[in-house]
Amino acid sequence: MNDAFMTGLEQCVPRLESERDEIAGVLLVSAKKTFFAGGDLNRLRAGSAEKAAEETAYINRMKGWMRRLEQLGRPVVAVLNGTALGGGLEVALCAHHRIAADLPGSRFGLPEVSLGLLPGGGGITRTVRMLGLHKALSEVILPAKKFTPRAALALGLVDEHLAWCPRAVRLGAARAADRGPPGADALR
């Protein structure tokens, strides 16, 4: 989660909103070996009390773009073709459906708590909404645990677990898209 990611959100989300009537849904997938590694640690290290208001505004802006994607009115599916930790999982959590590819070494979680940081991209709210307060805090957020794809499915962090191949991912995404956009209650 760096300035390039922010720029991408600021360009992509308005375009998706303007083309909403022409699209069936959105697939979030990475061309890298990981889905999304997380926050920019150099940016975090450069933070200071003097920059607190600026950093808060930056994070709130990012959360706003992710919330607009979540409220697009079309299915948003995250295809986790590799690790999604910290901010990477928070990006996946703003999708309506998460498909975890069964790849060796893939892990999902919010490990920033082990560094004394709290998830800042909506991960706390979304995990609590998905799993309930007790389960989200005691099993995901506070222990800063990293889950395998199967363990993430069993817990409820992901909705589907597939062997990795492009055809399987397309089938899983099509099944999710067939369910249609989430209802208004799901977006609250």
Side-chain angles (χ1 to χ4, degrees):
M1 283 189 157
N2 56 21
D3 292 338
F5 173 70
M6 178 74 88
T7 299
L9 275 177
E10 292 173 333
Q11 293 171 353
C12 182
V13 173
R15 180 177 174 190
L16 291 170
E17 290 170 337
S18 72
E19 296 176 6
R20 179 184 354 242
D21 294 337
E22 301 160 26
I23 61 174
V26 177
L27 283 178
L28 302 177
V29 65
S30 176
K32 299 183 208 175
K33 291 181 180 180
T34 61
F35 175 73
F36 200 121
D40 182 351
L41 294 179
N42 291 326
R43 183 182 188 98
L44 289 171
R45 279 189 215 111
S48 66
E50 295 80 31
K51 295 180 183 179
E54 176 186 330
E55 289 302 314
T56 299
Y58 180 86
I59 290 172
N60 286 338
R61 198 167 93 227
M62 186 176 300
K63 286 193 306 189
W65 287 113
M66 289 172 34
R67 181 70 172 144
R68 282 173 64 175
L69 179 61
E70 182 180 36
Q71 294 180 312
L72 183 63
R74 295 289 183 263
V76 178
V77 177
V79 180
L80 306 175
N81 57 313
T83 293
L85 294 172
L89 182 60
E90 291 182 292
V91 169
L93 290 172
C94 78
H96 308 119
H97 191 80
R98 284 156 298 286
I99 301 169
D102 191 9
L103 292 168
S106 287
R107 297 294 180 268
F108 312 111
L110 300 168
E112 56 268 45
V113 175
S114 67
L115 301 173
L117 303 168
L118 287 175
I124 292 175
T125 300
R126 289 184 178 99
T127 55
V128 168
R129 189 183 332 143
M130 289 169 49
L131 306 174
L133 180 63
H134 178 74
K135 191 174 185 179
L137 286 174
S138 66
E139 296 185 38
V140 179
I141 299 167
L142 296 178
K145 188 173 176 184
K146 298 174 188 172
F147 299 91
T148 65
R150 289 179 195 267
L153 177 65
L155 182 64
L157 277 179
V158 300
D159 303 294
E160 213 167 331
H161 170 269
L162 297 173
W164 177 250
C165 78
R167 185 174 187 283
V169 171
R170 283 195 305 272
L171 290 172
R175 284 198 301 273
D178 285 344
R179 295 184 190 112
D185 291 341
L187 295 176
R188 290 195 180 118

